[in-house]
Amino acid sequence: MTLTIHQETYPFTAIIGQETMKTAILLNLVNPKLGGVLIKGEKGTAKSTAVRAASELLDDLHVVNLPVSATEDRVVGTLDIEHAIRHGEKKFDPGLLAQADGHILYVDEINLLDDQIVDVLLDAAASGINTVEREGISHSHPARFILVGTMNPEEGDLRPQLLDRFALSVEVAGEKKIEERVEVIERRLAFEADPATFHDRFRSEQEQLRAKILQARELLPALKPSQEILQKAAEIAIALQVDGHRSDITMIKTALTLAALEGSSQAELEHLSRAAVLAMPHRLKKSPFEHQTGTTEKVLQVLREVGALSS
């Protein structure tokens, strides 16, 4: 089976650099139960492009956009109370969470979203179910989606309680090498000039990446963490002084998914180290003006101290 190509969407494999962001997105495609990803970075760093491009990698995968101005009813759906009173039956008008079931739910500028709606999103993402209750009447439906939030930290941050609910967090920045910036420009101009030819140029790479994701999905259920990996994850979490156990569990899930994505038969310490860099920085206690780069450095330092990173 071949990929369905939408020529208005930039190919995922044509994106220059941003390897950490692309890996975080791919991990969620392999394991939709991982818990989503928060992408932080300045404007114009391919955050939105990468999210939309990811939907091209799998059949019947769509991106449902949740605008910052969305009301809670628009997000969760509404129950028609008047209809219930008159006819004695429930009438539910689905919201964005219902549309996103089985797809990617994308929230640009998620830090500007009302906290109450972010809570609703994260509750549904964690449970896979959206429940609406009005006037003693309730309705539930599946809401299994991959949550991807993007934000510019200069416009404000998310509350720590909400940050912790994202499985992974990455920070992106513009390319610093002249050759790579030139390649970004050339590819974008080529895409805009002739999308069909541009897609043909990357068709083989897209097909290969799609096959890699599908293979990883088949491999993942068979992977189990070793006692060494479990103990090292606990050691890392304790050393970083994070609250609760969600971070440990996420590290293990991420390490297993990384191993599957790379075709490994088991998760190694190297997978766990890379998983920690994706899963831990946004969970650390930090000073009000501390950048995520600083928290990533803390994670790397602890990984070296516990012997999970050689250099």
Side-chain angles (χ1 to χ4, degrees), residues 3 7 9 50 56 70-71 93 111 127 154 166 171 179 189 196-197 205 211 229 234 253 256 280 293 302:
L3 283 169
Q7 294 186 356
T9 303
E56 299 282 291
T71 63
D93 183 15
N111 51 323
S127 65
E154 294 178 354
F166 277 95
E171 188 159 2
E179 295 81 4
L189 293 179
T197 300
E205 290 178 50
I229 293 294
K253 286 182 177 178
L256 293 172
M280 301 304 280
T293 304
V302 163

Side-chain angles (χ1 to χ4, degrees), residues 52-224:
R52 296 190 182 96
S55 68
E56 299 282 291
L57 294 171
L58 295 173
D59 295 329
D60 300 323
L61 183 66
H62 307 295
V63 175
V64 175
N65 289 293
L66 192 158
V68 172
S69 59
T71 63
E72 184 174 351
D73 282 350
R74 177 78 182 98
V75 174
V76 303
T78 55
L79 279 165
D80 189 335
I81 301 301
E82 186 175 338
H83 181 89
I85 293 172
R86 285 186 175 180
H87 303 284
E89 60 182 22
K90 288 191 290 187
K91 183 180 180 183
F92 179 69
D93 183 15
L96 292 173
L97 294 185
Q99 294 178 28
D101 184 37
H103 302 289
I104 297 172
L105 183 62
Y106 175 49
V107 191
D108 190 19
E109 299 182 322
I110 192 170
N111 51 323
L112 303 183
L113 201 61
D114 185 272
D115 280 353
Q116 185 176 354
I117 293 180
V118 178
D119 272 330
V120 168
L121 285 181
L122 294 171
D123 283 344
S127 65
I129 296 172
N130 176 45
T131 300
V132 181
E133 294 184 351
R134 298 284 188 275
E135 307 293 336
I137 301 173
S138 68
H139 177 79
S140 297
H141 64 78
R144 294 178 290 266
F145 52 83
I146 298 170
L147 179 61
V148 182
T150 57
M151 57 177 276
N152 182 348
E154 294 178 354
E155 297 172 344
D157 212 339
L158 282 172
R159 287 186 287 123
Q161 297 93 328
L162 300 179
L163 281 172
D164 180 60
R165 305 279 290 279
F166 277 95
L168 311 179
S169 172
V170 298
E171 188 159 2
V172 295
E175 297 298 329
K176 304 300 182 189
K177 295 181 180 177
I178 292 176
E179 295 81 4
E180 292 178 347
R181 294 185 76 100
V182 169
E183 186 67 15
V184 169
I185 298 168
E186 289 179 339
R187 288 191 181 185
R188 191 69 208 185
L189 293 179
F191 170 71
E192 292 180 1
D194 188 348
T197 300
F198 192 80
H199 273 280
D200 285 341
R201 178 178 161 190
F202 289 92
R203 185 178 297 276
S204 176
E205 290 178 50
Q206 292 278 109
E207 294 282 1
Q208 290 175 23
L209 183 54
R210 175 181 183 272
K212 186 176 178 181
I213 294 167
L214 295 178
Q215 184 179 23
R217 282 185 162 191
E218 290 184 5
L219 180 60
L220 182 60
L223 298 188
K224 307 297 178 189

